[in-house]
Amino acid sequence: MRQMFLFSMLFVSSAVIAQTNGAITPAPAEPTTSQSQTTPVVMKESWTDKVKLGGDFRFRTDRQQPQGGTDRIRNRLRTRVSAQGQVNDEVSVTVRLATGNVGSENAISTNQTFENGADKKIMWLDLAYADWKKDQCSVQIGKVPTVFSAAGKNTLVWDPDLTLEGAQYKHTFGSNLYAALGGYWLDENNSATVTKDPMLAGAQVGGTAKLSGIDAGLSVGYYSFDVKDSTTWFTVPATSMRGNSSPGAGVFTYDYNVLDVGLELGFNAAQLPLLVYGNYIQNTAISRENKGWLAGLRIGKLKDRGSWSFDYNYRETKADATLATFNDSDFGTGGTDNRGHIAQAQYQLGKGVSTSVTYFRAETTVATAAKDSDRAMLDFLFGF
């Protein structure tokens, strides 16, 4: 029995020595403190930790009925895919691709029509910019989203699909005040007869305050479109001014130095959010056909499944109130020199899925021979 015990101990000792390359490993020392000392594990950062992906898809049925024109029904799509990469703690780069039309009118449209025998649809570079954020400041350079806000997100001056090209700066003061500046290139003229490139410089200040249960917001902006005597970059048709004045051959008659004042009043009515908003613009570079205004009301808000909203606004935009190639592309025939109504109902079908019906009742070419234009859109939007 004693021999069996000694044999077993010898066998175990041999196995331990073999696992330690012949060296007997001493027992670990007792910790010097009451708690054991551990070394933190440093995980290597993966590219997936620095990149965020996103996008959306929209299907639209669009019916247009212009007076004196041809009725048409178009089925259309919009697709956008974006990636944001975090360069470091303060700098990020965003790139977004989107569908759109052929030619420079792509600046204010990301739709593609179902046509041409089910041909392939083109994706364009829609956004590409670096964003440096420090404290309450943000500087962006490249092909950037519009930094200037609009009351009720209206489209009197800026179409929502527009992405400008240049540099912009925004500074927030606490949570209630902000100031924004921007400088942008509109075109590059390679011509012996043209001595300048069209440019845009803009500034806006704004803020919010709570007054007796009402959330009030005010913004004041000034945008200088230096385009006089330049040729429009809009290519369909080549001389299209979309309502702006021209001496001929698609040349801008005026500059557009636009004063932009917006106001919002938000409160609850019968347990529903209600927003009243308005916008006034004036091209201070000239004295005629130079004003525009809009007034609207929105009730409800898209949030959870089953939520809804209804929006209505009336607008009037004189021919030279603002640069027509950058404002709403859907109202009437797009651009300026129009007036009328927009009504929209939205419904949240589920997480990331909503639908809307929008109706436009407009008068176009008001300064010369007013024509009615009816338009209706049914949208299904999927975000991811």
Side-chain angles (χ1 to χ4, degrees):
M1 188 69 178
R2 184 179 178 181
Q3 291 177 344
M4 181 66 71
F5 175 78
L6 292 175
F7 180 82
S8 300
M9 292 297 295
L10 181 61
F11 177 79
V12 171
S13 299
S14 301
V16 171
I17 292 172
Q19 290 181 0
T20 57
N21 297 321
I24 300 177
T25 305
E30 291 294 327
T32 57
T33 64
S34 59
Q35 296 180 349
S36 61
Q37 303 297 311
T38 59
T39 302
V41 178
V42 179
M43 301 296 292
K44 186 177 180 180
E45 190 176 33
S46 169
W47 73 270
T48 57
D49 299 321
K50 299 190 295 182
V51 178
K52 296 180 180 179
L53 303 177
D56 60 68
F57 167 76
R58 183 180 68 196
F59 173 79
R60 167 176 290 176
T61 296
D62 179 3
R63 180 173 184 177
Q64 293 177 278
Q65 296 174 289
Q67 180 182 347
T70 302
D71 292 0
R72 63 190 305 198
I73 297 178
R74 294 181 293 179
N75 290 304
R76 318 188 80 188
L77 67 83
R78 181 191 73 183
T79 300
R80 301 183 297 190
V81 180
S82 64
Q84 182 186 72
Q86 198 68 36
V87 179
N88 56 47
D89 290 342
E90 297 177 352
V91 180
S92 65
V93 172
T94 298
V95 176
R96 186 172 74 185
L97 301 179
T99 49
N101 293 324
V102 176
S104 57
E105 66 275 16
N106 179 57
I108 52 172
S109 178
T110 50
N111 293 310
Q112 281 277 12
T113 303
F114 293 173
E115 60 183 348
N116 295 329
D119 63 349
K120 306 304 180 186
K121 307 305 178 186
I122 300 174
M123 296 286 286
W124 304 84
L125 185 61
D126 186 40
L127 286 174
Y129 65 95
D131 188 357
W132 175 73
K133 293 181 179 179
K134 179 69 173 179
D135 298 328
Q136 294 180 299
C137 300
S138 173
V139 178
Q140 298 174 336
I141 186 166
K143 190 166 182 60
V144 296
T146 307
V147 73
F148 308 117
S149 63
K153 298 182 179 180
N154 78 79
T155 55
L156 203 61
V157 177
W158 309 111
D159 187 279
D161 289 324
L162 177 66
T163 56
L164 293 167
E165 298 169 358
Q168 56 192 23
Y169 168 82
K170 187 173 184 179
H171 189 111
T172 57
F173 305 89
S175 59
N176 297 328
L177 300 174
Y178 72 89
L181 298 170
Y184 313 93
W185 292 269
L186 302 183
D187 202 6
E188 194 278 323
N189 284 315
N190 183 19
S191 171
T193 61
V194 179
T195 59
K196 66 176 184 179
D197 291 337
M199 302 289 291
L200 163 62
Q204 186 182 61
V205 294
T208 59
K210 186 173 283 292
L211 306 170
S212 301
I214 298 176
D215 294 319
L218 176 67
S219 64
V220 179
Y222 187 79
Y223 320 119
S224 177
F225 299 91
D226 185 11
V227 297
K228 183 179 179 180
D229 298 328
S230 298
T231 303
T232 178
W233 46 88
F234 216 71
T235 58
V236 181
T239 57
S240 173
M241 302 305 295
R242 292 170 55 85
N244 286 162
S245 296
S246 173
V251 175
F252 290 104
T253 302
Y254 306 117
D255 286 328
Y256 294 88
N257 299 329
V258 181
L259 174 66
D260 174 20
V261 180
L263 177 65
E264 292 183 345
L265 298 173
F267 50 93
N268 287 327
Q271 305 302 315
L272 287 172
L274 183 67
L275 181 69
V276 178
Y277 59 94
N279 211 160
Y280 173 80
I281 60 174
Q282 180 176 336
N283 179 11
T284 61
I286 58 175
S287 59
R288 58 178 298 277
E289 293 292 313
N290 65 334
K291 297 179 177 65
W293 65 275
L294 173 149
L297 172 71
R298 181 179 302 136
I299 185 170
K301 184 178 181 179
L302 293 190
K303 188 178 179 181
D304 302 320
R305 181 177 181 178
S307 59
W308 58 272
S309 72
F310 177 79
D311 188 290
Y312 166 81
N313 69 72
Y314 179 86
R315 66 183 62 194
E316 182 172 354
T317 312
K318 298 295 186 180
D320 292 303
T322 187
L323 190 74
T325 57
F326 281 169
N327 76 339
D328 196 327
S329 63
D330 294 326
F331 183 72
T333 54
T336 61
D337 195 19
N338 52 41
R339 63 190 176 201
H341 314 261
I342 301 178
Q344 183 183 67
Q346 295 179 292
Y347 185 79
Q348 191 75 31
L349 296 169
K351 184 178 180 180
V353 184
S354 63
T355 185
S356 67
V357 177
T358 310
Y359 176 70
F360 305 82
R361 174 67 174 177
E363 285 183 279
T364 63
T365 60
V366 176
T368 53
K371 297 180 180 180
D372 292 333
S373 175
D374 289 303
R375 189 172 189 174
M377 296 177 181
L378 172 63
D379 289 343
F380 291 92
L381 179 63
F382 307 83
F384 58 91

